[in-house]
């Protein structure tokens, strides 16, 4: 089966972004960097692509120019084991970016992330619809997700 590698389009910050992401996630590294040559369209020697791995998942950063930018239509989801992990990833990824609702944020490069706890789908799909609704209502009022507050809201009843 072919390997699927997401490619992230940047104007000029692909290497900087890849280095940042590798500093945030464990078991991460830059694997290769390619450069534009005399054929262009950017100046020879300018970074073209950066192949990198974030905790086992491969990505490519492409410095393609300002024509395309990120939107919330595509996001990367970080499933966290506990509140400590949520706090860690939220703090680092949101720094210099923008906090959004329901565990979403945009990093300093405009890429959208969802920082969520393990088991979130189970809570929102609880067979007890009242419990699920209380959890959803609490979720909708949060930026960074608070596991204890979500559980408390679900259990109020």
């Amino acid at each position: 089966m072919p390997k699927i590698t997401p490619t992230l389009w940047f104007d000029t910050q692909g290497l900087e972004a890849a280095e940042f992401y590798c500093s945030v996630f464990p078991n991460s590294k830059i694997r290769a960097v390619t450069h534009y040559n005399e054929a262009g369209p950017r100046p020879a020697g300018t970074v073209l692509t950066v192949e990198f791995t974030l905790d086992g998942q491969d990505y490519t950063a492409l410095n393609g120019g300002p024509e395309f930018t990120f939107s919330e239509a595509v996001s990367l989801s970080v499933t966290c084991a506990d509140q400590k992990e949520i706090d860690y990833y939220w703090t680092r990824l949101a720094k210099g970016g923008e906090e959004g609702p329901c565990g979403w944020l945009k990093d300093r490069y405009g890429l959208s992330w969802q920082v969520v706890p393990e088991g979130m789908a189970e809570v929102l799909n609880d067979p007890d619809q009242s419990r699920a609704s209380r959890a959803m209502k609490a979720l909708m009022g949060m930026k960074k997700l608070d596991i204890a507050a979500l559980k408390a809201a679900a259990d109020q009843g």
Side-chain angles (χ1 to χ4, degrees), residues 18-30 52-59 78-81 84-86 88-90 92-93 113:
E19 290 172 340
F20 169 66
Y21 300 142
C22 287
S23 77
V24 171
F25 293 92
N27 308 311
S28 300
K29 65 180 178 179
I30 305 284
F52 62 104
T53 302
L54 300 180
D55 202 17
Q57 171 64 51
D58 291 339
Y59 295 87
V78 182
T79 303
C80 299
K84 184 177 177 181
E85 280 191 1
I86 287 174
Y88 171 84
Y89 288 108
W90 185 270
R92 279 151 188 82
L93 292 170
W113 297 81

Side-chain angles (χ1 to χ4, degrees), residues 1-152:
M1 180 159 175
K3 184 175 185 177
I4 298 171
T5 303
T7 298
L8 306 173
W9 182 293
F10 295 88
D11 180 5
T12 60
Q13 323 87 329
L15 180 58
E16 177 186 320
E19 290 172 340
F20 169 66
Y21 300 142
C22 287
S23 77
V24 171
F25 293 92
N27 308 311
S28 300
K29 65 180 178 179
I30 305 284
R31 295 187 329 277
V33 178
T34 63
H35 297 84
Y36 284 97
N37 59 31
E38 292 74 27
R42 293 189 138 183
T46 303
V47 172
L48 171 61
T49 63
V50 181
E51 296 175 19
F52 62 104
T53 302
L54 300 180
D55 202 17
Q57 171 64 51
D58 291 339
Y59 295 87
T60 300
L62 168 69
N63 284 335
E67 295 84 4
F68 302 109
T69 58
F70 296 118
S71 81
E72 291 83 352
V74 174
S75 63
L76 301 179
S77 185
V78 182
T79 303
C80 299
D82 55 29
Q83 191 65 49
K84 184 177 177 181
E85 280 191 1
I86 287 174
D87 295 346
Y88 171 84
Y89 288 108
W90 185 270
T91 300
R92 279 151 188 82
L93 292 170
K95 185 176 183 183
E98 178 182 331
E99 295 183 358
C102 307
W104 286 60
L105 63 87
K106 283 186 185 179
D107 68 27
R108 64 184 84 171
Y109 305 102
L111 182 60
S112 291
W113 297 81
Q114 298 176 58
V115 182
V116 298
E118 288 178 353
M120 193 72 224
E122 289 82 1
V123 172
L124 298 177
N125 292 319
D126 194 299
D128 177 344
Q129 288 300 302
S130 295
R131 191 170 192 276
S133 291
R134 289 189 300 270
M136 177 63 89
K137 184 176 181 183
L139 172 83
M140 298 302 286
M142 294 180 183
K143 289 191 177 202
K144 179 178 74 171
L145 299 186
D146 180 328
I147 297 171
L150 288 168
K151 286 181 180 178

